[in-house]
Amino acid sequence: MASQGDDGPLVGRTGTLTEIQSNLRNVGPGGTAAVFVTGESGVGKSRLLRETADALRGSGFAVLSGTCLDIGDASPLHPVLQALRRHDGGLPVTATAPGDAGALLDRVSHDLRAIAGDQQLLLVLDDLQWADRSTRQLLLYLLAGLGDVRISVLAAIRAEALHGTHPLRRVLAELRRLRSVRVVDLAPLNQDQTRELVSAIVGDGIAAEDADRVFKRSGGNPFVAEELSRDLRDGRIELSDTLREIFLTRVDELPANAHQVVHALAAGVEPVGHAVLSKVVPLPEDQLIEAVRAAVAHRFVASDGDGYRLRHRLVAEILEQEVLPAEATALHRRYAEALEAEPGEPDHARLAHHWQRAGEPSRALPPVVAAARSAEALYGFAEAHRYWTIALQLVAEDDPERTGLLGDAAESAHQCGEHLLALSRLEELAGRTDAPGRGAIHLRRARYLAAAGRFTHAESEYELALAAPDCTPQLRASAAAFLAELLVQLARYADAHERAREALELAAVNGTTADLVRASAALGFSAAFREDPDAGLAVIRHAVEIAERSGHPDDLGVAYLHLAELLTGPLNSIEEGVLVARRGAERLSTLGGGRTHQSRLLAIAANGLFRIGQWTEADAVLEAAMRHRPSGAEAVELLLARCRLLVGYGDLDDAGRDLDAAATLLAGGGGARHILPMLTLRAGLAMWLSEHADARAAVQRGITETRSDDLVLLGVLAWHGLRAEAEAHVAGKPVDQGAIRRLLMVRDRMASNADNAGPAARAIIDAYLDLCAAELSRIEGRHDPAPWARAAAIWDRRQQPYPAAYARLRHAEAALQRRVRRAAAITGLREAYATATAMGARPFAAEIVGIAHRFRVPLADDLPTVPMTVPVQPVDELALLTSREREVLAAVAEGLTNREIGERLFISERTVGVHLGHIFDKLQVRTRVQASRVYLTAA
């Protein structure tokens, strides 16, 4: 199968290559060594032979290469004589009398010695399974040391050829007795190695699922994987003729019964048990076993405790096109009947597949529905969605069963993140004469719209559901709970608080656990922001406890989302919020919530990491989250989080693309907690591009279009608006006095309403008020360092390094402009530069360098900013801890108090405190949250 003309990169073979070279150099007492490389066709044997020959040529080895031929009348010693003829200056082999085998061996040995001279000779023989009898005898003769030649032999053998009584098997059995002979079985590439190979051929932009599909189809065979990768790279959809002909030729070489077995397995769902196969393939038991044995020997079939499977799924694709439709239908029917005859609960997924392929939709529908229900019970929402889609394909438009199937299909699409498809199926359901009531349809449509990021339309649908004549008490409780949560997303906390109280009262009488969790989370968040952080936080923590008891991914997702958002946002307990977000994401990773709640939790974690300056880690979190390919509101959250990071890094083109993608998703009507951050990021991006008018337009749009009472979001927006005007003023561009007046109105609104917020949220609002006042001093040209000093101090207390560093930069700029406290200004400028370079904030660091040059201030090394390198972490961060300290730390990470830890470990509360002191010193942390984070990361 190997092709020398277009070799791909050598992947996953470095260790094997080194091992082979070492074995060839490690000659035995007679000066001989041999390595026989076995493996299936296309696994890379010939490539290894070439690479080894190239590596050893000129390093003490004289190299000869030959290839055996698959013809019955090949001349004696054909591959060796071919190698001699290829050698420059090779000696002609003297003719010998017919039948004089000993003389021929001696003469060839003499020629080999002459070529080797004082070097070790490397004889490379490909396709040794086709070697003639004389070549096999020569190998035994030379490797036994009888030819007096210092020789190392490297040969490749197709494993599928060594079945039955193949004569080479006896030769290898004899040679294995020699200590200097090694047999290397070359295995296919694993999934990661195949992905590396595909990426090298197609490019780094290859999607992970495409690379994994190549692995599944190729079975890790490098030749097949390379061919499929080139097809993928060149946009070819059909299988290449090269691969098709290679596999068909190999299939045709099988014995008749083995041919039948391979065809049957190609139609099956792997693994296929022997009992099922015996009913599908009409052969006597002894003949069936012999046929399977032949298919295994030819490397078409692999066998394990679960049954039989094809080594390459590509074989199934090829054979599917080679059988007649009637043959395929008969095969699938036999499979379905065999599965139904099996004792115990049938495998619904397999049964549905075979009845469907057998052309029996009425018999396929029940197992399809059963498979969908089973998947839902295990929270396999993507799999359930696939089965419900199949079920819809099996029933006609006028079939009464279609109504119920449409409802299930719409809900499964929503659960797995296909929100627009869910809406489409819901509309079809609503148009049927036997559709559910109006209230239920409005509630579903609202849920799907909210998940798709269309919050404005969702709010209207919730109101319609509550006002519907057929709105039952249970439906009312659910609609009120969902509406309360939506109002939190819209950042209308007063309305959310009122709705959540109503929803809790309804849920207590007529609601479900899900309603209780959702209403509690909305109530807790709004209460924590508006009036009492401790009480609100307690309500949300109680919602998490209820969700944990429920175990349903929706309940867990809602509770963890609100808790993580509250901690990383208004309460400014960012490190704890990141831990909660990651814990929730990990919890949901096993419950089918990857595209929905898990993605949003990872976005929250990334935003928190951004705020505390851990940008590299935030980048890694976002990269992992993006692999889930979320849609709707979840995609918006991730796009905005990544855009925030890209703007900070200075990757402005990529940031612009993410913003445009988020804007497209929000075109149907997003909420303030998406719209305002998007417009703030748009303004920040425009400022770095010196597009002051665009920055102004983005901020003014946010001010005029929002109904939010989230003063923190408004504070960020107002700061960016005044900063944009200040940047325009510094650049000599006109400022917009009308825009400034509107921004000052927002500032005054923040100042007057800040007392209505909880203490933690009020501290953040005050920090943004300080930044607004400081930017105003820039606009007015007052160069006042005082407000910048206050802003830097308050952001330091909030442990948010970026705004603190920005305030230090402006403080230093104003002080240097006024020529006051130059030493303090220089210190602040250097601290800001150190922060910027540590985070990798290239545009910000460049601005600091520019100001330092303007005022002739030397920075630490005054060099252009370079991207931050990832700090080297110890292999085990917990290695310094004793076993008891590890037990204590594990309990801390679970959230236990000192007293609870003491009760669990049977030690006093005071001893727990001593252990914690030692743990904090060894891990160089100051809080329980930081220590828990170290433990969870290491674990």
Side-chain angles (χ1 to χ4, degrees):
M1 273 193 189
S3 170
Q4 190 169 344
D6 190 16
D7 280 336
L10 190 64
V11 172
R13 304 301 193 205
T14 305
T16 305
L17 197 59
T18 303
E19 178 189 354
I20 291 173
Q21 293 177 24
S22 174
N23 289 333
L24 291 172
R25 294 180 187 276
N26 188 22
V27 297
T32 65
V35 175
F36 296 95
V37 182
T38 68
E40 65 183 23
S41 300
V43 81
K45 303 181 298 298
S46 300
R47 177 70 179 279
L48 274 182
L49 265 58
R50 293 198 303 274
E51 296 286 344
T52 303
D54 291 343
L56 296 182
R57 184 179 286 111
S59 61
F61 281 84
V63 180
L64 293 178
S65 298
T67 304
C68 302
L69 297 180
D70 185 19
I71 54 177
D73 56 351
S75 58
L77 294 178
H78 170 79
V80 181
L81 298 181
Q82 180 192 58
L84 290 169
R85 284 192 294 270
R86 286 176 175 175
H87 187 267
D88 294 341
L91 302 176
V93 179
T94 306
T96 59
D100 191 358
L104 180 59
L105 295 178
D106 286 340
R107 182 57 187 159
V108 170
S109 300
H110 177 271
D111 291 340
L112 294 176
R113 281 196 304 273
I115 290 173
D118 58 356
Q119 299 184 90
Q120 182 80 9
L121 180 66
L122 175 62
L123 179 60
V124 180
L125 300 176
D126 203 357
D127 286 326
L128 193 63
Q129 72 279 355
W130 294 326
D132 59 274
R133 182 170 179 269
S134 297
T135 301
R136 297 193 297 269
Q137 288 179 338
L138 178 64
L139 289 179
L140 289 168
Y141 180 78
L142 293 174
L143 293 176
L146 301 177
D148 195 24
V149 183
R150 295 173 58 240
I151 188 170
S152 296
V153 175
L154 175 61
I157 304 168
R158 293 191 183 183
E160 61 265 30
L162 296 184
H163 54 80
T165 59
H166 195 290
L168 190 59
R169 295 181 68 177
R170 293 195 299 274
V171 174
L172 288 178
E174 289 290 330
L175 291 174
R176 280 178 186 267
R177 299 176 182 177
L178 303 175
R179 285 183 296 174
S180 57
V181 173
R182 296 286 185 273
V183 177
V184 176
D185 189 17
L186 201 58
L189 302 178
N190 61 32
Q191 188 164 1
D192 290 338
Q193 291 166 342
T194 304
R195 190 178 295 136
E196 182 183 347
L197 177 62
V198 176
S199 297
I201 295 173
V202 180
D204 291 335
I206 179 72
E209 56 265 32
D210 288 335
D212 292 342
R213 194 177 302 116
V214 169
F215 172 73
K216 185 175 181 180
R217 296 174 74 193
S218 68
N221 185 288
F223 174 80
V224 179
E226 286 181 25
E227 289 291 315
L228 293 174
S229 299
R230 292 187 185 100
D231 289 346
L232 191 61
R233 178 193 64 194
D234 300 336
R236 287 194 295 269
I237 299 174
E238 296 296 327
L239 195 63
S240 69
D241 292 338
T242 303
L243 281 180
R244 184 179 303 281
E245 290 305 318
I246 287 172
F247 276 110
L248 286 177
T249 300
R250 286 189 57 205
V251 171
D252 289 342
E253 293 172 353
L254 288 168
N257 288 345
H259 191 282
Q260 195 173 356
V261 166
V262 170
H263 268 278
L265 290 176
V269 179
E270 298 177 340
V272 177
H274 184 80
V276 172
L277 185 65
S278 66
K279 294 182 177 69
V280 175
V281 179
L283 288 173
E285 181 70 9
D286 57 340
Q287 294 183 29
L288 176 63
I289 291 174
E290 189 59 34
V292 171
R293 191 185 303 278
V296 171
H298 281 78
R299 294 294 179 109
F300 273 102
V301 174
S303 174
D304 56 31
D306 295 329
Y308 307 120
R309 49 170 54 87
L310 293 175
R311 285 184 176 272
H312 310 287
R313 286 308 302 169
L314 201 60
V315 174
E317 295 179 33
I318 294 170
L319 293 182
E320 185 179 15
Q321 300 176 23
E322 299 298 315
V323 299
L324 296 172
E327 289 180 286
T329 298
L331 261 177
H332 286 292
R333 177 180 292 279
R334 289 204 296 272
Y335 263 116
E337 291 170 346
L339 289 170
E340 284 186 338
E342 286 285 286
E345 184 74 12
D347 187 325
H348 298 297
R350 295 186 186 212
L351 193 57
H353 168 79
H354 288 300
W355 278 129
Q356 188 183 7
R357 293 296 184 93
E360 297 276 1
S362 60
R363 299 185 73 171
L365 184 59
V368 166
V369 172
R373 300 260 184 241
S374 298
E376 286 177 338
L378 297 172
Y379 305 122
F381 298 120
E383 291 78 8
H385 169 55
R386 182 165 61 85
Y387 290 127
W388 288 122
T389 301
I390 293 172
L392 286 177
Q393 296 167 356
L394 294 174
V395 296
E397 296 288 336
D398 57 352
D399 193 318
E401 281 190 89
R402 188 171 181 84
T403 301
L405 293 175
L406 276 169
D408 290 319
E411 186 63 21
S412 71
H414 166 66
Q415 290 287 358
C416 73
E418 296 289 346
H419 308 303
L420 296 181
L421 180 59
L423 284 165
S424 173
R425 286 175 172 165
L426 184 66
E427 293 314 309
E428 183 182 349
L429 175 63
R432 296 181 68 85
T433 55
D434 54 349
R438 288 170 54 192
I441 292 290
H442 283 307
L443 176 57
R444 277 197 174 196
R445 186 180 291 122
R447 291 171 52 225
Y448 301 167
L449 285 167
R454 301 177 180 180
F455 294 153
T456 304
H457 300 303
E459 183 181 5
S460 300
E461 288 293 326
Y462 281 132
E463 297 289 0
L464 288 172
L466 289 167
D470 60 349
C471 184
T472 64
Q474 184 174 348
L475 191 147
R476 183 176 298 279
S478 296
F482 274 105
L483 179 55
E485 187 199 13
L486 177 69
L487 291 170
V488 170
Q489 295 298 321
L490 291 169
R492 288 161 45 194
Y493 302 129
D495 294 341
H497 195 264
E498 181 181 344
R499 283 291 188 183
R501 285 192 177 281
E502 174 192 350
L504 271 179
E505 292 175 3
L506 292 169
V509 179
N510 298 302
T512 63
T513 300
D515 300 332
L516 189 62
V517 169
R518 207 170 294 271
S520 298
L523 180 65
F525 193 100
S526 57
F529 189 95
R530 297 181 67 249
E531 46 193 44
D532 190 341
D534 293 335
L537 190 59
V539 172
I540 293 188
R541 291 193 190 279
H542 181 59
V544 172
E545 292 174 4
I546 298 173
E548 287 287 0
R549 289 195 295 270
S550 159
H552 194 280
D554 269 351
D555 299 343
L556 289 164
V558 168
Y560 273 107
L561 277 170
H562 283 80
L563 179 57
E565 282 184 318
L566 183 63
L567 291 168
T568 57
L571 297 190
N572 200 59
S573 298
I574 300 176
E575 289 188 338
E576 184 183 359
V578 170
L579 281 174
V580 167
R582 285 180 143 173
R583 189 184 307 134
E586 184 178 355
R587 182 86 167 82
L588 286 160
S589 65
T590 60
L591 299 176
R595 292 193 70 196
T596 52
H597 297 304
Q598 185 185 1
S599 294
R600 291 185 68 183
L601 282 165
L602 291 175
I604 293 170
N607 284 330
L609 291 166
F610 177 87
R611 291 188 185 108
I612 59 178
Q614 296 179 17
W615 290 9
T616 303
E617 192 170 349
D619 193 17
V621 169
L622 288 172
E623 184 179 355
M626 283 295 184
R627 294 194 194 107
H628 296 300
R629 295 187 175 277
S631 63
E634 292 82 19
V636 172
E637 296 265 8
L638 285 174
L639 286 168
L640 293 179
R642 188 169 67 179
C643 176
R644 188 172 290 111
L645 195 60
L646 290 171
V647 171
Y649 279 143
D651 299 329
L652 304 184
D653 290 341
D654 290 341
R657 281 189 285 272
D658 277 357
L659 271 180
D660 291 341
T664 300
L665 290 170
L666 292 173
R673 289 172 70 179
H674 289 156
I675 295 293
L676 293 185
M678 182 188 72
L679 294 173
T680 301
L681 285 167
R682 183 75 73 184
L685 177 61
M687 278 188 274
W688 285 122
L689 295 171
S690 299
E691 297 170 351
H692 306 103
D694 290 345
R696 178 184 300 126
V699 172
Q700 294 300 313
R701 178 188 160 194
I703 290 173
T704 56
E705 291 186 8
T706 183
R707 294 168 55 197
S708 171
D709 52 8
D710 190 325
L711 300 182
V712 173
L713 290 178
L714 290 173
V716 181
L717 189 69
W719 168 42
H720 275 68
L722 290 169
R723 180 180 171 186
E725 299 299 335
E727 296 291 343
H729 173 70
V730 171
K733 304 285 182 66
V735 299
D736 187 327
Q737 295 299 330
I740 293 175
R741 280 195 300 274
R742 287 187 288 274
L743 288 166
L744 293 179
M745 290 172 62
V746 174
R747 181 202 63 180
D748 294 342
R749 175 185 164 194
M750 290 167 55
S752 61
N753 292 328
D755 289 339
N756 296 329
R762 186 163 61 248
I764 298 294
I765 296 167
D766 289 341
Y768 282 114
L769 287 171
D770 281 335
L771 285 175
C772 289
E775 295 290 1
L776 196 59
S777 74
R778 289 180 75 205
I779 296 171
E780 296 169 352
R782 288 187 280 115
H783 306 296
D784 186 0
W788 292 114
R790 288 196 300 273
I794 196 167
W795 285 112
D796 277 338
R797 290 196 294 274
R798 299 295 99 193
Q799 296 182 339
Q800 296 195 34
Y802 189 88
Y806 176 79
R808 283 195 177 85
L809 167 65
R810 297 299 172 214
H811 172 267
E813 183 183 29
L816 292 169
Q817 188 76 32
R818 281 193 172 188
R819 300 182 180 180
V820 297
R821 304 190 63 187
R822 180 178 174 85
I826 292 174
T827 300
L829 198 63
R830 288 177 173 174
E831 289 176 357
Y833 184 65
T835 299
T837 53
M839 292 187 298
R842 291 188 292 269
F844 183 37
E847 183 179 10
I848 296 171
V849 170
I851 289 175
H853 286 169
R854 175 153 58 99
F855 291 103
R856 299 183 179 181
V857 171
L859 295 173
D861 48 15
D862 204 10
L863 295 173
T865 307
V866 294
M868 180 180 64
T869 57
V870 180
V872 178
Q873 296 292 335
V875 175
D876 183 5
E877 291 183 276
L878 307 180
L880 297 175
L881 304 184
T882 66
S883 58
R884 175 61 85 183
E885 287 167 350
R886 284 180 182 242
E887 291 175 344
V888 171
L889 181 56
V892 169
E894 291 180 30
L896 301 184
T897 64
N898 285 8
R899 181 171 56 80
E900 291 169 334
I901 295 171
E903 290 172 355
R904 172 184 289 188
L905 301 181
F906 303 101
I907 57 178
S908 69
E909 189 172 345
R910 185 173 180 275
T911 303
V912 173
V914 172
H915 282 309
L916 282 176
H918 293 160
I919 292 168
F920 286 10
D921 288 341
K922 290 179 180 180
L923 299 182
Q924 296 184 357
V925 298
R926 293 177 296 173
T927 66
R928 297 170 79 95
V929 171
Q930 292 172 338
S932 298
R933 184 170 171 273
V934 172
Y935 176 82
L936 293 172
T937 301

